[in-house]
Amino acid sequence: MSTKPNAIIFGGLNTCSRALAALLVPVEGESLVNNLRIVDKYSVNPATTYIGAEFPQVLQKPNVEYRQANLTIPATVKTCFDPPEGQEPYTYVFDFTGEIQWDRPEKIQISHTFNIARLIGLEAASRRVKAYVRIQHPFYECKERGNHDEKEEAKPEDVLGIWWHETLRMLACIPGLNLVILRTALVYGPYVDYGNLMNFIVVAAVYGFMKQPMKALWSPGKHAAHSVHVDDVAGALWACAEWMAGIGRTEADAIAGETIIFKNEKSKAKEVEGMVPPDVKCIAPLFNLEDDSQYSMAELGKVVTSFFGTTFEFHNFMMNTVAKFRIEEVVEEINEAHVGQWTTMITTSHPPIPNTNYTAYMNEYNLKRHVVAFNASKLKNVIGYHLRRPKLCAETLQEMIDKLKAENSWPNL
Ligand SMILES: *[C@@H]1O[C@H](CO)[C@@H](O)[C@H](O)[C@H]1NC(C)=O
């Protein structure tokens, strides 16, 4: 009998779940799990969302099953845990679910982020899974100074951040759930098409193409803009699962438990089913993840723009001031300078790739000032995780672009 676990991945085709799937069941080489089930709302054949060139190959593997499902339905969530006949139960669960669009109303955040995770968490607890790893995106405003460890207070950003954070409290308080939370910095890497960092990289490529300096808001850009490669998100999720499966929640809380502080409006607790009252203390093992680059915004800009053969500068004082108070007024002006050039790049590419999902359009959320710093020392010290891609540099960028060019989603000029 093999001792490898069976795993389910819920959600995240639009974020990092494909990278995890490729780690668990590599296209070449040995699987880390016996069987892998992936569940999300999208169709993958034909694909109704961008899934990159590697993932369809992972889906071809005999021990991988994809299931398109509506996870807002409790009965559907339950059946997702039922193994095929003759197969051992699923013991590792990776939860990537949740709405990542910055401008969705609270109602959607509650139903898609909070409720879905609650259904999955409750079912996972009742099935006594050995590890339940939840990804947390950097939907926080981190402190400007400090050591940025897990104890440092980070403020959930907007409606999006508040409900993602509330979801952590809810999961933390599900009795018997072997929960670990992994909180990531800004993610980049091949086949990643969400988040501020990828958007920033596309825009830097455009300024490189135009041979003009890329201009950003928020001079002097000394605030943290820490990054992490998607391969390390996958690697760290797996490391967290193995760690939890070996010790269980009680010991994990004793070693790495953190209080998930209440950050919502108190009145919501009465309105939202399953929300944990504000005065209940919720503790769960929480690990930060970032690479060793630890760039400021200005440093990140320099590294990325120099890769594309240009330089990084900041807008003038006037523009910054307007952005600070009325960012919606500068969005169009900023985009006007480069979006058309991206269209030129993708239509004159060899071959033309007019339908690439990568975009140079910067929305309000992309343009806002974000301080992102999540010191990963605890993950390294407690779990012993080693970064596979310790630095965001020309090499990691080149490798990413090469893969995107090979699948015709990045312009080849
Ligand atoms: C998922 O199920 C809910 C509840 O039945 C329904 O309101 C929603 O429209 C469904 N979503 C999709 C994409 O079918």
Side-chain angles (χ1 to χ4, degrees):
M1 274 289 287
S2 154
T3 56
K4 289 180 192 173
N6 294 322
I8 313 183
I9 298 176
F10 285 101
L13 278 199
N14 57 347
T15 59
C16 302
S17 73
R18 288 172 282 116
L20 177 65
L23 174 73
L24 300 185
V25 183
V27 175
E28 315 259 337
E30 209 188 322
S31 296
L32 297 175
V33 294
N34 264 338
N35 296 286
L36 174 63
R37 174 177 283 168
I38 304 160
V39 186
D40 207 332
K41 66 182 170 193
Y42 304 102
S43 157
V44 291
N45 193 14
T48 52
T49 187
Y50 168 72
I51 56 170
E54 186 184 34
F55 190 60
Q57 294 174 266
V58 173
L59 294 177
Q60 294 286 320
K61 307 295 268 188
N63 56 342
V64 177
E65 175 204 355
Y66 183 81
R67 184 178 282 209
Q68 183 180 8
N70 182 341
L71 295 170
T72 62
I73 303 168
T76 302
V77 171
K78 267 190 198 307
T79 60
C80 287
F81 283 80
D82 293 335
E85 208 169 306
Q87 186 192 297
E88 295 287 307
Y90 294 97
T91 52
Y92 284 18
V93 172
F94 297 93
D95 176 9
F96 292 80
T97 59
E99 177 56 61
I100 61 162
Q101 291 248 85
W102 65 285
D103 56 353
R104 306 309 294 276
E106 180 168 55
K107 212 174 70 177
I108 297 285
Q109 280 300 338
I110 293 170
S111 68
H112 288 38
T113 303
F114 184 86
N115 282 346
I116 289 179
R118 179 161 175 260
L119 294 175
I120 300 170
L122 288 170
E123 188 61 26
S126 81
R127 306 241 180 183
R128 298 196 165 81
V129 303
K130 289 186 176 151
Y132 185 100
V133 191
R134 167 81 180 172
I135 193 168
Q136 172 66 45
H137 301 290
F139 301 145
Y140 290 95
E141 218 179 292
C142 298
K143 288 243 188 302
E144 298 258 339
R145 291 177 203 293
N147 74 350
H148 308 304
D149 67 9
E150 288 80 356
K151 298 211 178 332
E152 188 172 279
E153 202 167 338
K155 185 174 165 238
E157 210 173 37
D158 307 329
V159 170
L160 168 81
I162 285 172
W163 286 100
W164 273 79
H165 183 80
E166 194 62 57
T167 300
L168 300 185
R169 289 187 76 243
M170 174 274 297
L171 290 171
C173 283
I174 293 179
L177 184 63
N178 287 315
L179 170 71
V180 191
I181 301 160
L182 183 73
R183 185 166 63 176
T184 80
L186 301 164
V187 176
Y188 77 105
Y191 317 123
V192 174
D193 72 325
Y194 79 100
N196 287 340
L197 181 48
M198 288 306 299
N199 179 253
F200 186 88
I201 291 170
V202 174
V203 175
V206 177
Y207 283 93
F209 173 73
M210 293 196 286
K211 307 223 178 318
Q212 280 176 25
M214 177 174 175
K215 283 196 176 180
L217 296 166
W218 319 121
S219 165
K222 283 190 178 165
H223 59 283
H226 294 184
S227 51
V228 65
H229 194 282
V230 72
D231 286 357
D232 279 308
V233 176
L237 287 162
W238 173 250
C240 286
E242 288 274 88
W243 175 76
M244 173 56 82
I247 61 174
R249 177 68 181 275
T250 309
E251 196 181 334
D253 275 350
I255 297 170
E258 306 286 351
T259 304
I260 316 293
I261 299 165
F262 184 76
K263 294 283 189 184
N264 213 329
E265 284 167 43
K266 288 197 171 146
S267 62
K268 300 285 176 197
K270 289 197 184 69
E271 294 164 24
V272 177
E273 193 197 333
M275 201 171 130
V276 182
D279 52 346
V280 174
K281 195 168 178 176
C282 301
I283 294 174
L286 166 68
F287 293 95
N288 286 343
L289 175 65
E290 66 182 17
D291 64 26
D292 294 337
S293 312
Q294 296 177 4
Y295 294 136
S296 65
M297 180 69 201
E299 289 165 339
L300 175 70
K302 199 173 160 201
V303 169
V304 177
T305 53
S306 76
F307 173 77
F308 290 111
T310 187
T311 54
F312 190 63
E313 294 174 8
F314 287 96
H315 283 292
N316 61 29
F317 178 76
M318 273 304 293
M319 189 78 148
N320 272 309
T321 309
V322 175
K324 197 165 172 186
F325 299 104
R326 298 189 305 271
I327 197 156
E328 61 287 355
E329 286 183 16
V330 299
V331 171
E332 296 317 315
E333 188 178 339
I334 287 174
N335 279 299
E336 210 172 300
H338 61 248
V339 167
Q341 291 290 327
W342 178 247
T343 305
T344 303
M345 289 168 75
I346 62 181
T347 49
T348 59
S349 159
H350 308 283
I353 48 160
N355 298 320
T356 177
N357 58 299
Y358 287 90
T359 169
Y361 184 82
M362 304 184 103
N363 62 36
E364 256 174 69
Y365 183 77
N366 300 142
L367 287 169
K368 262 176 75 175
R369 187 173 185 271
H370 300 276
V371 184
V372 178
F374 293 114
N375 185 333
S377 300
K378 185 174 159 189
L379 180 75
K380 293 174 182 171
N381 296 335
V382 173
I383 296 189
Y385 185 70
H386 291 281
L387 289 166
R388 292 151 198 235
R389 313 297 176 114
K391 281 244 160 151
L392 186 161
C393 57
E395 206 182 326
T396 57
L397 290 172
Q398 187 63 56
E399 183 215 29
M400 173 178 89
I401 303 290
D402 287 347
K403 285 187 175 172
L404 297 182
K405 277 186 180 169
E407 68 166 18
N408 291 333
S409 64
W410 193 273
N412 186 33
L413 299 162

